[in-house]
Amino acid sequence: MEFKMKPETGFTAQLPYGELHIAGEEEYGFRPYQLMVSSIAVCSGGVLRKILKKKRLEVEDMTIQTEVVRNEEKANRLEKIHIHYVIKGNNLPKEKVEQSLELARKNCPMVQSVVGSIEVTESFELI
């Protein structure tokens, strides 16, 4: 990827899906920490979705909620991301979803990339 400096502030990248604007201030683009949290949460959710599908568990809808803890004393670094899945489906056994969540954690490249530097925890509810 290539990032070009914008005249006002931030950077842009031309990607196959469209133009991505990144900046430290929300009025000029996505903030880097937002992109990092999004990458980790959505990667994990995508892996979870595939695992559930392979187990023939029917998911009608999934919402991913995140809570982020940052450390202002250390350059506002990300310390912890809690990912909460709200999963809607028919006959979803809690035990199989728990097992699938563990597999997703082990197989998500973004979660594995931050092991040892950002604490990532997960929970879920079935509706």
Side-chain angles (χ1 to χ4, degrees):
M1 289 194 292
E2 180 176 88
F3 300 90
K4 297 264 187 191
M5 186 174 76
K6 292 172 29 178
E8 60 278 357
T9 185
F11 292 83
T12 60
Q14 295 295 328
L15 303 172
Y17 189 72
E19 187 173 67
L20 177 64
H21 293 261
I22 307 163
E25 300 172 38
E26 286 186 20
E27 58 267 19
Y28 297 107
F30 294 101
R31 296 183 64 201
Y33 94 91
Q34 292 170 324
L35 294 171
M36 181 170 244
V37 172
S38 299
S39 296
I40 292 167
V42 174
C43 178
S44 182
V47 173
L48 177 60
R49 181 181 189 176
K50 286 179 186 176
I51 291 168
L52 293 170
K53 188 175 182 176
K54 283 183 181 179
K55 290 185 176 188
R56 301 178 199 268
L57 298 174
E58 192 176 323
V59 174
E60 294 175 25
D61 193 27
M62 182 186 304
T63 300
I64 303 171
Q65 302 166 344
T66 60
E67 292 180 27
V68 177
V69 176
R70 299 178 74 183
N71 186 337
E72 291 181 17
E73 294 176 8
K74 292 187 178 177
N76 221 10
R77 81 182 227 76
L78 285 170
E79 297 278 329
K80 180 178 181 178
I81 301 170
H82 179 73
I83 304 169
H84 181 73
Y85 302 92
V86 180
I87 304 169
K88 181 179 180 182
N90 294 318
N91 301 318
L92 293 173
K94 184 178 178 182
E95 308 78 39
K96 287 192 177 191
V97 175
E98 285 174 351
Q99 293 168 351
S100 300
L101 195 55
E102 289 177 31
L103 276 174
R105 179 185 239 311
K106 292 177 184 175
N107 290 288
C108 172
M110 300 286 33
V111 171
Q112 290 302 308
S113 294
V114 299
V115 167
S117 62
I118 300 173
E119 180 184 356
V120 178
T121 57
E122 299 102 355
S123 60
F124 70 94
E125 64 183 279
L126 301 174
I127 58 171

PDB file of all heavy atoms in Angstrom, residues 55-67:
ATOM      1  N   LYS A  55     -19.399 -25.434  10.487  1.00  0.00           N
ATOM      2  CA  LYS A  55     -20.060 -26.331  11.449  1.00  0.00           C
ATOM      3  C   LYS A  55     -21.561 -26.444  11.161  1.00  0.00           C
ATOM      4  O   LYS A  55     -22.292 -27.045  11.948  1.00  0.00           O
ATOM      5  CB  LYS A  55     -19.840 -25.818  12.879  1.00  0.00           C
ATOM      6  CG  LYS A  55     -18.417 -25.965  13.353  1.00  0.00           C
ATOM      7  CD  LYS A  55     -18.291 -25.553  14.801  1.00  0.00           C
ATOM      8  CE  LYS A  55     -16.862 -25.813  15.282  1.00  0.00           C
ATOM      9  NZ  LYS A  55     -16.748 -25.612  16.722  1.00  0.00           N
ATOM     10  N   ARG A  56     -21.991 -25.820  10.063  1.00  0.00           N
ATOM     11  CA  ARG A  56     -23.397 -25.841   9.650  1.00  0.00           C
ATOM     12  C   ARG A  56     -24.328 -25.204  10.683  1.00  0.00           C
ATOM     13  O   ARG A  56     -25.453 -25.642  10.878  1.00  0.00           O
ATOM     14  CB  ARG A  56     -23.843 -27.252   9.300  1.00  0.00           C
ATOM     15  CG  ARG A  56     -23.046 -27.872   8.189  1.00  0.00           C
ATOM     16  CD  ARG A  56     -23.511 -29.284   7.923  1.00  0.00           C
ATOM     17  NE  ARG A  56     -22.522 -30.046   7.193  1.00  0.00           N
ATOM     18  CZ  ARG A  56     -22.463 -30.167   5.881  1.00  0.00           C
ATOM     19  NH1 ARG A  56     -23.325 -29.528   5.132  1.00  0.00           N
ATOM     20  NH2 ARG A  56     -21.545 -30.902   5.304  1.00  0.00           N
ATOM     21  N   LEU A  57     -23.798 -24.184  11.343  1.00  0.00           N
ATOM     22  CA  LEU A  57     -24.601 -23.417  12.291  1.00  0.00           C
ATOM     23  C   LEU A  57     -25.080 -22.162  11.564  1.00  0.00           C
ATOM     24  O   LEU A  57     -24.273 -21.386  11.055  1.00  0.00           O
ATOM     25  CB  LEU A  57     -23.789 -23.067  13.539  1.00  0.00           C
ATOM     26  CG  LEU A  57     -23.309 -24.268  14.349  1.00  0.00           C
ATOM     27  CD1 LEU A  57     -22.391 -23.823  15.471  1.00  0.00           C
ATOM     28  CD2 LEU A  57     -24.478 -25.057  14.902  1.00  0.00           C
ATOM     29  N   GLU A  58     -26.377 -21.985  11.498  1.00  0.00           N
ATOM     30  CA  GLU A  58     -26.962 -20.909  10.716  1.00  0.00           C
ATOM     31  C   GLU A  58     -27.004 -19.597  11.491  1.00  0.00           C
ATOM     32  O   GLU A  58     -27.681 -19.486  12.514  1.00  0.00           O
ATOM     33  CB  GLU A  58     -28.377 -21.297  10.300  1.00  0.00           C
ATOM     34  CG  GLU A  58     -28.959 -20.375   9.263  1.00  0.00           C
ATOM     35  CD  GLU A  58     -30.327 -20.838   8.797  1.00  0.00           C
ATOM     36  OE1 GLU A  58     -30.525 -22.064   8.675  1.00  0.00           O
ATOM     37  OE2 GLU A  58     -31.179 -19.967   8.590  1.00  0.00           O
ATOM     38  N   VAL A  59     -26.247 -18.628  11.008  1.00  0.00           N
ATOM     39  CA  VAL A  59     -26.213 -17.298  11.612  1.00  0.00           C
ATOM     40  C   VAL A  59     -26.991 -16.354  10.694  1.00  0.00           C
ATOM     41  O   VAL A  59     -26.649 -16.192   9.530  1.00  0.00           O
ATOM     42  CB  VAL A  59     -24.763 -16.795  11.800  1.00  0.00           C
ATOM     43  CG1 VAL A  59     -24.744 -15.362  12.276  1.00  0.00           C
ATOM     44  CG2 VAL A  59     -24.018 -17.703  12.760  1.00  0.00           C
ATOM     45  N   GLU A  60     -28.042 -15.744  11.239  1.00  0.00           N
ATOM     46  CA  GLU A  60     -28.843 -14.791  10.474  1.00  0.00           C
ATOM     47  C   GLU A  60     -28.224 -13.403  10.487  1.00  0.00           C
ATOM     48  O   GLU A  60     -28.295 -12.667   9.511  1.00  0.00           O
ATOM     49  CB  GLU A  60     -30.255 -14.708  11.052  1.00  0.00           C
ATOM     50  CG  GLU A  60     -31.064 -15.960  10.907  1.00  0.00           C
ATOM     51  CD  GLU A  60     -32.409 -15.852  11.613  1.00  0.00           C
ATOM     52  OE1 GLU A  60     -32.912 -14.718  11.802  1.00  0.00           O
ATOM     53  OE2 GLU A  60     -32.943 -16.903  11.999  1.00  0.00           O
ATOM     54  N   ASP A  61     -27.631 -13.058  11.634  1.00  0.00           N
ATOM     55  CA  ASP A  61     -27.079 -11.713  11.782  1.00  0.00           C
ATOM     56  C   ASP A  61     -26.030 -11.718  12.882  1.00  0.00           C
ATOM     57  O   ASP A  61     -26.083 -12.551  13.804  1.00  0.00           O
ATOM     58  CB  ASP A  61     -28.198 -10.730  12.135  1.00  0.00           C
ATOM     59  CG  ASP A  61     -27.771  -9.276  12.008  1.00  0.00           C
ATOM     60  OD1 ASP A  61     -26.865  -8.980  11.204  1.00  0.00           O
ATOM     61  OD2 ASP A  61     -28.344  -8.427  12.716  1.00  0.00           O
ATOM     62  N   MET A  62     -25.073 -10.824  12.776  1.00  0.00           N
ATOM     63  CA  MET A  62     -24.044 -10.685  13.808  1.00  0.00           C
ATOM     64  C   MET A  62     -23.682  -9.208  13.933  1.00  0.00           C
ATOM     65  O   MET A  62     -23.455  -8.524  12.937  1.00  0.00           O
ATOM     66  CB  MET A  62     -22.789 -11.491  13.453  1.00  0.00           C
ATOM     67  CG  MET A  62     -21.708 -11.424  14.515  1.00  0.00           C
ATOM     68  SD  MET A  62     -20.135 -12.218  14.045  1.00  0.00           S
ATOM     69  CE  MET A  62     -20.631 -13.865  13.631  1.00  0.00           C
ATOM     70  N   THR A  63     -23.643  -8.744  15.161  1.00  0.00           N
ATOM     71  CA  THR A  63     -23.183  -7.389  15.449  1.00  0.00           C
ATOM     72  C   THR A  63     -21.963  -7.519  16.348  1.00  0.00           C
ATOM     73  O   THR A  63     -21.948  -8.338  17.270  1.00  0.00           O
ATOM     74  CB  THR A  63     -24.288  -6.582  16.172  1.00  0.00           C
ATOM     75  OG1 THR A  63     -25.432  -6.516  15.332  1.00  0.00           O
ATOM     76  CG2 THR A  63     -23.813  -5.176  16.502  1.00  0.00           C
ATOM     77  N   ILE A  64     -20.956  -6.725  16.062  1.00  0.00           N
ATOM     78  CA  ILE A  64     -19.731  -6.748  16.867  1.00  0.00           C
ATOM     79  C   ILE A  64     -19.617  -5.412  17.588  1.00  0.00           C
ATOM     80  O   ILE A  64     -19.601  -4.357  16.952  1.00  0.00           O
ATOM     81  CB  ILE A  64     -18.486  -6.984  15.992  1.00  0.00           C
ATOM     82  CG1 ILE A  64     -18.617  -8.289  15.211  1.00  0.00           C
ATOM     83  CG2 ILE A  64     -17.223  -6.977  16.847  1.00  0.00           C
ATOM     84  CD1 ILE A  64     -17.533  -8.488  14.168  1.00  0.00           C
ATOM     85  N   GLN A  65     -19.557  -5.481  18.905  1.00  0.00           N
ATOM     86  CA  GLN A  65     -19.375  -4.283  19.731  1.00  0.00           C
ATOM     87  C   GLN A  65     -17.982  -4.353  20.346  1.00  0.00           C
ATOM     88  O   GLN A  65     -17.528  -5.435  20.712  1.00  0.00           O
ATOM     89  CB  GLN A  65     -20.436  -4.242  20.837  1.00  0.00           C
ATOM     90  CG  GLN A  65     -21.853  -4.264  20.307  1.00  0.00           C
ATOM     91  CD  GLN A  65     -22.881  -4.561  21.382  1.00  0.00           C
ATOM     92  OE1 GLN A  65     -22.559  -5.028  22.461  1.00  0.00           O
ATOM     93  NE2 GLN A  65     -24.134  -4.298  21.068  1.00  0.00           N
ATOM     94  N   THR A  66     -17.326  -3.211  20.464  1.00  0.00           N
ATOM     95  CA  THR A  66     -15.992  -3.204  21.064  1.00  0.00           C
ATOM     96  C   THR A  66     -15.907  -2.178  22.183  1.00  0.00           C
ATOM     97  O   THR A  66     -16.577  -1.144  22.143  1.00  0.00           O
ATOM     98  CB  THR A  66     -14.890  -2.875  20.028  1.00  0.00           C
ATOM     99  OG1 THR A  66     -15.130  -1.590  19.480  1.00  0.00           O
ATOM    100  CG2 THR A  66     -14.827  -3.925  18.931  1.00  0.00           C
ATOM    101  N   GLU A  67     -15.087  -2.500  23.157  1.00  0.00           N
ATOM    102  CA  GLU A  67     -14.703  -1.563  24.210  1.00  0.00           C
ATOM    103  C   GLU A  67     -13.187  -1.494  24.185  1.00  0.00           C
ATOM    104  O   GLU A  67     -12.516  -2.523  24.148  1.00  0.00           O
ATOM    105  CB  GLU A  67     -15.186  -2.055  25.578  1.00  0.00           C
ATOM    106  CG  GLU A  67     -16.682  -2.031  25.742  1.00  0.00           C
ATOM    107  CD  GLU A  67     -17.119  -2.534  27.105  1.00  0.00           C
ATOM    108  OE1 GLU A  67     -16.336  -2.412  28.078  1.00  0.00           O
ATOM    109  OE2 GLU A  67     -18.233  -3.056  27.176  1.00  0.00           O
TER     110      GLU A  67
END
